[in-house]
Amino acid sequence: MFEREELHRGIFFSGIDGKKFKTSCLNINLILPLTHQDVCKNAMLPYMLRRGFKGCPNKQKFNEMLMDLYGADMQASSFNFGDKQIITVSIEFINGEFVNEKDMATKAIKLLLSVVFEPIMDDNKLFPEENFREHQRELTNEILLELNDKRSYAINKCNELAFEGTNCEIPANGTVEGVAALSRQDVSAAYFHLLESAQIEIVCIGHESDIIAAKNSCKEAFGCIAVAERFKIEPQSFDFRSRLREESVQMDVVQTKLVLCFISKVPRNLKNNVVALVLSEIYGGSPTSKLFLNVREKLSLCYYCASAFRRGTNSLCVDIGVDLSNLAFAKENIISEFTAMQNGDFGEEDIRTAQRELKSAFKSFTDSMDDMLRYRVVGALDLTHASLEEYMAIVGDITKEDIVARAKNFELTTAYALKGGCEID
Amino acid sequence: MIDVKNAKEVTIKRLKERYFEFVHKSGLKVVVCPTEDRATYYALLGSAYGSINNSFKSTNGEVVTVPEGIAHFLEHKLFESKNGQDVFKYFAKNGARVNAFTSHEKTCYHFSCTNNFFSNLELLLDFVTSPCFSNESIEKERGIIGQEIGMCEDDPYYQADCNALNAMYGAHPIAQSILGTVVSISKITKELLTNCYNTYYVPCNMVLVVVGDVELADILRVVDKFFFSCDFAAKPPENFIPKEPYAVRERIVQKDLPIALPWVEIGIKERAGTRADGFLNGFKYWMLLQMLFGEASEFCSDCYRLDIIREPLWLSSRAGDGFCYLDISGATPQPEKLYQMVLDELRKQHLHGLNKANFQRIKKYAIAQYVRRWEDTESLAVGLFDLSCLGLGFNDIDELIANLEAASLDSMFAKTFQEEQTVLSVVKSSSGG
């Protein structure tokens, strides 16, 4: 593991030894505040960048270039974490030794940096109109497709309601209307703003020599945008509504979706995050959880009923797919299971089981490039740069009192139902 | 005492990796892939029994036909242990995560852990080999699976896929849903589950795959404990899969759901070969799909330019016992236009000969996909399971790609991808979008 180091003001680089993997990756995250004004402009950037670069402006040729690099996988996306928007551009490639390509890493790193620093722009430093229109349609498409997956759609809607009035309510890609209102001038300006203002977290997973090459190349490339001040991630504090808000929407679907959002006002730090993970594991995060055993197995109400702790918003989200006729009964049971957690109605064995499962999950992160990337980036986003060993040690020290206290600090603030089917009187 | 000298060591030169194959005296195939540098252990025990195996000769010699969705139902029910408890609990105590899945041709039970591997392996072999069904728990499971079915009825991708299969296949059970329907699962009984279990969960129809820092001999000792007293004379199941006509059933099918943008699946039905041939041909079909409609194709560029698609199409091929089809899927504001463009492209390439400009780079892409398979433990284990069921190895894929000539794909294309073998399955917005 290579220490996280600051290459230039606000630009950080971390390397992770990836000898065990057959592929390597370089992942660049550009982090800015999430705002209504900028969300769509920024969300357009991954599409504008992913299509090629000055030296290869033809999208088809660019895809051919990636295939020639043994199917190097270039990804670009926008996601949010609490009140921050992250634009990620990354490349994952096969290690050259498996395909007799000595320069694979050099070529892949160069390609990614070309995409970030030499986007296809005209002489006026604007994205070409035709490309802009194509990707405006593509982003609109992406937003529209969110409705296809009713489960995640309902979760997103509940999130918007729960954090209404704060920037955490903003969807990662913005809205169809917001995208339609964009101009290429807006998006081109957003590109320069992103490079010059964002906090940048770069993570490379690969062989030592590849990490060193990536670090040197990034240091040189990002040197040209070295500025005195950049956005700096600060600890978040929110002032959320505490009374319960309920909303339901009717849709022509077979299965009703119910999402509940519990928000906590305790300070966010490593220990509190880990306690919330253990709490969620016992409550609804595993097949041995209270929700799984009681709401699914005992009452036979659903196929899934699960909880997840969201670090970005310090909230606990519970969702279930259920028959409309059982909606009220399911909700009552989900809430009463949470009340039981707040009352300490769970055993030491439940805690031990959750601890073992979480420790195992943390340990196995090292076998997955995606998990390692997520762990590093999320650590930077919520200012918890702890090692996996530290996480595991904290998990092991959690007590019943910690969990009960954390549960008591969560308040049910939002219930969102996407209602389908028929209600039986 | 098991003699590990009888194990076959498979070395994959390209990847500098190896794995072992062993056939236990019970008939169970055991595949062990030692990986010293991974913290995770992964084991998968599967039966070559999936949703298409609905008609078979049962252990008493009688030919039976069972309700649609029973393989998946059985998968759920095996998680109940002898004392009526869910087996999840025992794995969780060991810090392991256990799960299962059912597809058209297999049912697999798997776990991953970082500690207590052998204890977890014993739990896996124990619960899969000792079924325990009660009428009460079967009743309870109907409610849970009913909700799973409901969830899939709202899923446009699942619906487009089911409808495409239904349009392509008339007699073959691949046209049936893996989950079954609320009506079909209402007919499932304890006796039917037992009959299916006794027929298909026999060692000679099963494979155990282990990936992790383990020794083959240690794995075989555990296997011996659970499969020592098995019925060695048990024969592989006899399936009855109806003969499927070559022609498709329907060309165009549509379903309305509350979605914002139509989702399309274009299916191409091809002749089914033997299962092993089907697997290897499937690879060639996938390469052809990439050449014709992949991200580096002219077709794809044209579709973007004309706003027919707004993201790359999903391309895949599937082949198995009595079926073989290809699919091209994606979101599009103009489903019929996309279908027409696909047909025009096929006509053009049949007329002028396959455009082989991208052949070499797609070959490189194919190699990368094969190397990536090794990256993810679960994907590796499932891959080894599939290959073992077919009597193939990882090197067969490498060899296939290395030796593949453009001319061979050309001649394959000339005989396939026929217009009348295509179907269009569309899921449109119920509000008319």
Side-chain angles (χ1 to χ4, degrees):
Chain A
M1 197 84 88
F2 294 72
E3 289 299 312
R4 176 175 178 261
E5 83 179 84
E6 193 164 17
L7 298 180
H8 301 284
R9 177 67 64 90
I11 302 175
F12 300 88
F13 182 93
S14 311
I16 297 171
D17 179 6
K19 275 199 294 285
K20 67 164 76 169
F21 300 115
K22 307 248 178 288
T23 58
S24 298
C25 76
L26 180 59
N27 177 282
I28 301 174
N29 301 277
L30 301 108
I31 306 156
L32 278 176
L34 178 63
T35 66
H36 284 284
Q37 195 187 336
D38 294 333
V39 64
C40 296
K41 293 178 213 170
N42 290 334
M44 278 289 287
L45 294 175
Y47 296 96
M48 301 307 305
L49 300 181
R50 168 63 181 81
R51 71 168 295 132
F53 60 102
K54 217 170 170 179
C56 184
N58 180 300
K59 192 171 164 181
Q60 189 186 340
K61 297 278 174 225
F62 181 65
N63 284 323
E64 288 177 5
M65 194 179 257
L66 289 170
M67 281 195 177
D68 283 337
L69 273 183
Y70 285 84
D73 185 16
M74 181 154 316
Q75 296 288 335
S77 62
S78 159
F79 70 97
N80 54 9
F81 184 86
D83 59 358
K84 289 172 273 294
Q85 183 174 19
I86 301 96
I87 304 303
T88 301
V89 192
S90 67
I91 191 161
E92 181 250 18
F93 51 95
I94 301 292
N95 292 341
E97 63 180 298
F98 301 117
V99 285
N100 295 324
E101 280 271 348
K102 279 183 190 158
D103 301 331
M104 185 69 89
T106 316
K107 286 179 185 167
I109 294 164
K110 191 174 170 214
L111 195 58
L112 182 70
L113 292 174
S114 300
V115 159
V116 173
F117 287 99
E118 300 161 35
I120 306 156
M121 288 185 141
D122 61 21
D123 294 342
N124 298 316
K125 294 194 172 176
L126 293 174
F127 291 120
E129 181 70 20
E130 194 185 337
N131 296 358
F132 167 71
R133 292 290 165 214
E134 182 182 320
H135 297 304
Q136 196 177 26
R137 291 194 297 263
E138 199 173 352
L139 179 56
T140 305
N141 190 60
E142 186 69 28
I143 297 170
L144 292 174
L145 282 178
E146 286 166 15
L147 180 61
N148 281 10
D149 181 346
K150 302 294 182 287
R151 184 175 178 182
S152 61
Y153 176 79
I155 290 173
N156 290 342
K157 287 290 158 198
C158 183
N159 187 71
E160 286 173 29
L161 269 184
F163 299 100
E164 197 174 34
T166 76
N167 283 349
C168 298
E169 71 171 335
I170 305 170
N173 286 320
T175 59
V176 170
E177 297 75 23
V179 174
L182 292 175
S183 69
R184 68 181 180 128
Q185 284 80 3
D186 297 330
V187 178
S188 306
Y191 164 72
F192 292 108
H193 181 253
L194 183 73
L195 282 190
E196 287 159 9
S197 313
Q199 177 171 325
I200 301 173
E201 292 287 338
I202 305 164
V203 186
C204 179
I205 303 182
H207 286 251
E208 190 176 345
S209 57
D210 295 345
I211 294 175
I212 293 167
K215 191 173 95 177
N216 292 338
S217 300
C218 287
K219 187 161 187 175
E220 191 187 337
F222 283 89
C224 70
I225 52 161
V227 288
E229 283 304 321
R230 286 184 170 273
F231 169 65
K232 188 176 176 206
I233 298 170
E234 302 284 359
Q236 272 177 294
S237 62
F238 301 114
D239 186 21
F240 297 115
R241 175 191 71 243
S242 55
R243 70 188 160 77
L244 175 64
R245 178 166 173 189
E246 299 193 66
E247 193 168 307
S248 65
V249 171
Q250 198 75 39
M251 202 181 266
D252 183 19
V253 287
V254 174
Q255 189 181 69
T256 292
K257 311 286 182 201
L258 171 70
V259 188
L260 302 180
C261 183
F262 298 81
I263 302 182
S264 169
K265 289 178 182 168
V266 301
R268 292 194 295 164
N269 55 42
L270 187 58
K271 166 94 188 269
N272 282 340
N273 280 349
V274 175
V275 180
L277 287 174
V278 178
L279 162 67
S280 177
E281 193 75 7
I282 299 171
Y283 174 50
S286 76
T288 50
S289 67
K290 304 294 172 195
L291 293 181
F292 188 92
L293 291 179
N294 297 327
V295 181
R296 175 182 142 134
E297 292 295 303
K298 199 167 145 194
L299 299 174
S300 195
L301 285 178
C302 58
Y303 173 63
Y304 71 87
C305 180
S307 71
F309 173 58
R310 316 230 147 190
R311 286 167 67 166
T313 48
N314 205 10
S315 61
L316 193 69
C317 172
V318 182
D319 79 323
I320 181 170
V322 67
D323 253 354
L324 183 60
S325 57
N326 289 325
L327 177 63
F329 185 54
K331 185 175 158 195
E332 191 184 302
N333 276 281
I334 292 168
I335 294 172
S336 78
E337 289 296 340
F338 196 72
T339 308
M341 294 298 299
Q342 290 175 318
N343 293 336
D345 188 10
F346 54 94
E348 285 298 326
E349 192 47 43
D350 291 322
I351 303 173
R352 298 286 91 81
T353 299
Q355 286 171 321
R356 275 191 287 266
E357 285 189 324
L358 282 171
K359 279 186 191 173
S360 183
F362 281 124
K363 200 171 168 190
S364 65
F365 273 16
T366 57
D367 289 337
S368 157
M369 213 180 255
D370 286 345
D371 286 340
M372 286 307 283
L373 280 173
R374 206 174 302 120
Y375 147 72
R376 266 300 164 98
V377 175
V378 169
L381 288 168
D382 71 358
L383 303 169
T384 53
H385 302 284
S387 67
L388 289 172
E389 290 71 26
E390 285 174 88
Y391 270 102
M392 287 188 266
I394 297 173
V395 168
D397 289 340
I398 303 283
T399 63
K400 184 168 182 176
E401 289 70 34
D402 293 330
I403 300 165
V404 170
R406 192 77 169 96
K408 282 184 174 164
N409 263 298
F410 273 105
E411 206 170 330
L412 177 62
T413 66
T414 318
Y416 176 83
L418 189 68
K419 288 184 174 175
C422 323
E423 208 146 10
I424 299 164
D425 292 327
Chain B
M1 193 68 183
I2 294 171
D3 189 356
V4 293
K5 277 187 291 200
N6 294 330
K8 179 182 161 196
E9 181 175 349
V10 180
T11 305
I12 305 150
K13 276 191 195 152
R14 179 191 293 283
L15 300 174
K16 303 180 182 80
E17 296 282 2
R18 62 189 183 136
Y19 64 89
F20 298 92
E21 289 178 325
F22 185 87
V23 182
H24 185 256
K25 59 189 172 189
S26 61
L28 177 78
K29 285 183 187 167
V30 181
V31 182
V32 175
C33 182
T35 53
E36 288 158 19
D37 52 1
R38 296 192 199 206
T40 314
Y41 297 87
Y42 185 93
L44 175 152
L45 179 59
S47 164
Y49 168 50
S51 63
I52 66 169
N53 305 116
N54 280 344
S55 190
F56 55 87
K57 190 186 271 188
S58 62
T59 43
N60 63 9
E62 192 188 337
V63 175
V64 292
T65 298
V66 290
E68 182 180 340
I70 196 165
H72 172 256
F73 201 106
L74 180 55
E75 173 226 297
H76 274 236
K77 281 325 306 155
L78 277 193
F79 278 89
E80 194 163 325
S81 66
K82 284 161 259 184
N83 57 10
Q85 301 262 1
D86 271 343
V87 298
F88 293 112
K89 190 172 125 181
Y90 304 110
F91 283 94
K93 276 189 178 169
N94 280 338
R97 287 269 165 147
V98 62
N99 212 333
F101 62 86
T102 306
S103 70
H104 289 119
E105 294 195 286
K106 59 179 170 275
T107 310
C108 296
Y109 304 82
H110 54 97
F111 74 84
S112 66
C113 65
T114 53
N115 285 308
N116 306 312
F117 170 72
F118 285 99
S119 166
N120 289 320
L121 182 63
E122 292 205 6
L123 284 173
L124 176 74
L125 299 191
D126 184 37
F127 91 80
V128 178
T129 55
S130 37
C132 183
F133 314 122
S134 70
N135 287 329
E136 190 193 352
S137 72
I138 289 170
E139 221 39 65
K140 184 199 78 181
E141 210 61 41
R142 270 193 248 283
I144 295 171
I145 295 176
Q147 283 304 315
E148 194 178 357
I149 293 169
M151 184 175 78
C152 290
E153 281 180 41
D154 293 329
D155 180 343
Y157 313 117
Y158 189 86
Q159 291 301 317
D161 189 48
C162 285
N163 288 347
L165 284 169
N166 242 302
M168 282 186 279
Y169 291 88
H172 196 287
I174 194 151
Q176 298 172 359
S177 162
I178 292 169
L179 303 179
T181 64
V182 172
V183 174
S184 74
I185 65 166
S186 71
K187 296 173 190 152
I188 293 173
T189 62
K190 185 177 162 180
E191 290 68 34
L192 289 174
L193 287 170
T194 307
N195 199 353
C196 289
Y197 181 86
N198 289 341
T199 305
Y200 286 101
Y201 284 70
V202 286
C204 59
N205 196 46
M206 297 176 79
V207 181
L208 170 70
V209 182
V210 175
V211 181
D213 188 7
V214 292
E215 295 282 339
L216 173 67
D218 296 328
I219 301 296
L220 294 181
R221 263 192 288 278
V222 180
V223 168
D224 216 22
K225 187 171 159 186
F226 288 87
F227 288 88
F228 182 74
S229 56
C230 277
D231 178 6
F232 303 143
K235 287 180 186 159
E238 265 187 76
N239 300 309
F240 297 101
I241 301 227
K243 191 161 169 50
E244 173 69 29
Y246 175 54
V248 301
R249 240 170 42 90
E250 266 181 285
R251 292 291 300 278
I252 296 178
V253 279
Q254 184 180 318
K255 181 168 178 101
D256 293 344
L257 283 178
I259 55 171
L261 197 66
W263 183 264
V264 160
E265 183 164 326
I266 296 166
I268 307 174
K269 184 179 179 183
E270 299 293 356
R271 288 187 199 283
T274 63
R275 289 183 72 199
D277 281 351
F279 183 85
L280 296 173
N281 280 338
F283 218 86
K284 294 184 195 170
Y285 279 127
W286 175 83
M287 287 187 67
L288 280 169
L289 284 169
Q290 291 294 336
M291 287 165 76
L292 293 161
F293 307 114
E295 276 193 82
S297 68
E298 277 174 30
F299 174 86
C300 190
S301 292
D302 289 345
C303 284
Y304 272 111
R305 191 171 42 77
L306 298 168
D307 190 26
I308 303 299
I309 59 168
R310 295 166 178 177
E311 57 179 28
L313 293 163
W314 289 87
L315 307 170
S316 66
S317 67
R318 294 273 326 276
D321 197 351
F323 69 92
C324 176
Y325 68 92
L326 325 175
D327 87 57
I328 304 162
S329 308
T332 171
Q334 301 181 66
E336 291 78 14
K337 177 74 181 164
L338 173 63
Y339 184 42
Q340 199 49 56
M341 283 181 73
V342 166
L343 296 183
D344 289 347
E345 185 66 17
L346 292 179
R347 264 183 233 125
K348 188 178 91 184
Q349 301 244 7
H350 275 302
L351 190 66
H352 302 296
L354 183 67
N355 178 355
K356 295 180 279 292
N358 279 331
F359 174 73
Q360 286 303 336
R361 59 175 55 100
I362 284 166
K363 207 167 156 173
K364 285 184 174 180
Y365 182 40
I367 291 170
Q369 294 304 86
Y370 148 80
V371 174
R372 280 195 176 94
R373 190 98 205 210
W374 210 273
E375 207 71 308
D376 174 69
T377 314
E378 179 168 349
S379 156
L380 170 61
V382 175
L384 289 169
F385 176 90
D386 287 341
L387 291 168
S388 179
C389 286
L390 298 168
L392 296 169
F394 251 82
N395 284 326
D396 292 312
I397 306 174
D398 204 4
E399 246 171 62
L400 172 83
I401 303 171
N403 299 329
L404 196 58
E405 302 283 343
S408 130
L409 286 186
D410 206 359
S411 63
M412 184 178 194
F413 177 69
K415 290 177 248 159
T416 54
F417 287 84
Q418 298 301 312
E419 180 174 338
E420 64 278 9
Q421 292 303 104
T422 63
V423 301
L424 169 67
S425 166
V426 190
V427 177
K428 278 190 171 165
S429 164
S430 42
S431 58

